[in-house]
Amino acid sequence: MVTVEQRITALETEFRTELRHLATKADLAQLETRLVGQMNIQLRWMIGLQLGGMAVVATVVAAIVRLLG
């Protein structure tokens, strides 16, 4: 028969083993910093591409207006 003490010891051992795989506050803070940085880079690219596309469209419209006007 297994005693309560043996069961608690087994649980403590299992928790210690499992807790090593969990992220710490520092890990989460580092991940957040990296994610925010990547999101900012992608947002800048998206805005830049959109502005570039708008400039191309404006140039084409201006050329059409000159040709027709």
Side-chain angles (χ1 to χ4, degrees):
M1 184 172 185
V2 179
T3 66
V4 173
E5 188 175 303
Q6 290 171 326
R7 292 175 71 187
I8 290 175
T9 301
L11 286 172
E12 286 175 344
T13 302
E14 187 175 335
F15 287 147
R16 280 193 203 109
T17 303
E18 291 300 318
L19 290 177
R20 288 184 191 155
H21 301 291
L22 298 177
T24 64
K25 286 182 183 179
D27 293 335
L28 294 177
Q30 183 182 24
L31 177 62
E32 179 184 18
T33 301
R34 288 174 47 204
L35 286 175
V36 168
Q38 288 298 318
M39 288 171 58
N40 285 337
I41 290 169
Q42 289 183 1
L43 183 60
R44 287 184 193 138
W45 269 98
M46 288 171 48
I47 290 170
L49 289 173
Q50 207 166 26
L51 290 175
M54 289 169 55
V56 169
V57 169
T59 303
V60 170
V61 168
I64 291 172
V65 168
R66 265 190 259 148
L67 287 174
L68 297 177

